[in-house]
Amino acid sequence: MSQISTIRAKPKSLAYLTLLLSIVFGITGQLLMKHTMSIATTNFLTVSFVGQLTLALTTYTIGVANWVLALRVVKLSVAYPLSSLNYVGILFGSYYFFNETITLTRIIGVLLIFIGVLFVALSQSDRQLSSK
């Protein structure tokens, strides 16, 4: 691999890492918001509630910031389908943290999403190989 292609590969791999961070922070922020609202009483002006909600929104905002940074390099037609991996994280996070049931229908739906994301990723790598 030439030095120029190595230099070009680093920003691309960093962009995909940033996209992955966007997904992780987005999932974490959503789960924290659910947790905050699950334990909230009718009084939303407590220090505890405001602190937890601030943490949840800050975490989610970090995800959005990473999303914007990733879009500088990653094509939207690739990044947006990959962001559907949020469904997978939310499904398992909801099961683990909130004891939500995972039905066969949900599993099939998430598998279909995952297969779709795989097709998008593979079609992107096919295009890159054919352009070389």
Side-chain angles (χ1 to χ4, degrees):
M1 184 182 271
S2 72
Q3 190 175 11
I4 292 174
S5 60
T6 303
I7 292 170
R8 287 182 185 156
K10 286 182 182 178
K12 193 91 165 172
S13 60
L14 183 61
Y16 280 101
L17 175 63
T18 306
L19 182 59
L20 177 64
L21 287 173
S22 168
I23 293 167
V24 169
F25 277 104
I27 291 168
T28 304
Q30 289 286 346
L31 293 172
L32 287 170
M33 283 185 254
K34 171 66 176 171
H35 172 72
T36 300
M37 296 311 295
S38 295
I39 62 172
T41 60
T42 55
N43 186 3
F44 294 114
L45 296 178
T46 65
V47 173
S48 175
F49 174 80
V50 171
Q52 288 180 2
L53 186 60
T54 301
L55 175 64
L57 292 173
T58 301
T59 303
Y60 191 78
T61 301
I62 292 169
V64 171
N66 277 287
W67 171 258
V68 171
L69 291 173
L71 288 180
R72 292 180 65 192
V73 177
V74 180
K75 293 180 181 179
L76 183 60
S77 62
V78 174
Y80 200 76
L82 289 174
S83 73
S84 67
L85 292 174
N86 285 318
Y87 294 118
V88 178
I90 293 296
L91 178 74
F92 291 115
S94 297
Y95 171 77
Y96 184 79
F97 293 110
F98 306 115
N99 297 317
E100 293 184 11
T101 58
I102 299 178
T103 63
L104 181 60
T105 305
R106 286 185 182 178
I107 291 171
I108 291 170
V110 168
L111 283 173
L112 289 172
I113 291 168
F114 183 75
I115 290 168
V117 167
L118 187 61
F119 279 132
V120 169
L122 290 175
S123 70
Q124 178 66 20
S125 65
D126 287 346
R127 276 187 256 143
Q128 287 175 349
L129 288 175
S130 66
S131 66
K132 289 183 180 181

